[in-house]
Amino acid sequence: MPLRDELPPRSGPWASRFDSEDALYRAEDALRTAALENHDLSPILPFEEVYGPFLECAGKATAIAIDPREPYTADGEVNYVYADFLTLGLLYGVYRPAEGVGTTGPVDEDDLWNTTVYPYPGGRIDPTKVDLAELGLDVPGVDRRFVHFCAGALGVEAVDDLAELRATFDAAWPDYREVIRAGLLHLIRARPLTVAQWYALTYVPFPGERELTAFLGQVYAYLFDGFDAMPVAPV
């Protein structure tokens, strides 16, 4: 099983950071509450839901990218651009059940371990709003939590941390496990998502639908069938 530091470096189109400890703590508190209330190990919340409307979101987190129009300055330095998160900002949390949690799943804050919390700009597909039918996921047994799982746990910032989730995944809420199981099986069998849609949701590029389907099959086997090798997504 590859360890996190043995995997190739991964990056999405953006880097991001919280601008203060207060902004981070507010995000973590809200995401943890959403995880427990909704039985969702990968909660995603819009910035405005946590920090307030529009300009109240300013100064909470910064998005960083290389300017696509002018990647380098006249001096040959990388030309980074910076932007405040406002209406397109999303907050991602990825959690896992703590060791010793019973078969009914986490019930309070101590029952959840944090894997990562991060801000990220909203892409073409907003996992908090997209119609499930648009993704071919409007099927029995699948709900919004599966979209969050794909965008968060399988997204560019957290997909290499699946080993942390797998260790205690059996202690997740039974209804959550069934949603993830049903969603993965549907993606593997019906292949409703194109690689372009997957990238728009996760920022993880796949060369073709065959490779994406094979990866999702490995994720299913890793979480549900005891397959030992951690799935490795392309960089």
Side-chain angles (χ1 to χ4, degrees):
M1 178 188 305
L3 301 175
R4 183 68 169 82
D5 57 5
E6 295 173 346
L7 294 168
R10 181 184 305 282
S11 62
W14 297 89
S16 63
R17 69 181 183 213
F18 286 102
D19 290 340
S20 67
E21 289 188 353
D22 176 69
L24 168 61
Y25 295 153
R26 287 172 65 181
E28 212 279 328
D29 287 345
L31 288 163
R32 186 177 291 270
T33 296
L36 290 169
E37 289 182 351
N38 301 323
H39 289 188
D40 188 355
L41 291 180
S42 302
I44 303 174
L45 296 173
F47 251 55
E48 291 180 318
E49 188 171 321
V50 176
Y51 300 122
F54 195 53
L55 290 180
E56 291 184 30
C57 295
K60 304 302 189 298
T62 299
I64 308 163
I66 298 173
D67 190 339
R69 296 166 299 179
E70 189 179 347
Y72 297 96
T73 67
D75 297 329
E77 300 292 329
V78 177
N79 189 22
Y80 291 105
V81 292
Y82 300 82
D84 261 350
F85 285 83
L86 293 173
T87 55
L88 294 180
L90 295 173
L91 295 166
Y92 290 74
V94 181
Y95 297 90
R96 60 194 189 277
E99 291 180 358
V101 171
T103 57
T104 58
V107 296
D108 57 38
E109 291 188 359
D110 291 337
D111 288 343
L112 280 180
W113 285 342
N114 172 281
T115 298
T116 185
V117 169
Y118 59 94
Y120 217 73
R124 184 175 65 82
I125 295 179
D126 183 339
T128 68
K129 296 177 181 178
V130 64
D131 190 331
L132 296 186
E134 180 181 328
L135 302 179
L137 293 175
D138 187 16
V139 296
V142 177
D143 60 33
R144 177 74 51 188
R145 293 175 294 175
F146 182 67
V147 181
H148 288 180
F149 173 79
C150 293
L154 301 184
V156 69
E157 292 286 333
V159 67
D160 296 331
D161 298 323
L162 276 174
E164 295 183 49
L165 174 61
R166 206 276 283 271
T168 56
F169 190 68
D170 286 347
W173 306 276
D175 61 305
Y176 179 78
R177 285 173 48 82
E178 287 308 307
V179 165
I180 304 307
R181 181 195 297 272
L184 286 171
L185 285 175
H186 177 65
L187 290 187
I188 294 164
R189 292 168 176 169
R191 303 187 182 187
L193 283 175
T194 65
V195 292
Q197 287 175 308
W198 186 261
Y199 181 80
L201 185 63
T202 67
Y203 291 112
V204 178
F206 280 84
E209 292 183 19
R210 178 179 299 178
E211 290 82 0
L212 173 58
T213 301
F215 170 75
L216 294 170
Q218 291 172 352
V219 172
Y220 180 90
Y222 188 66
L223 293 179
F224 294 102
D225 288 343
F227 187 65
D228 285 336
M230 193 188 88
V232 178
V235 294

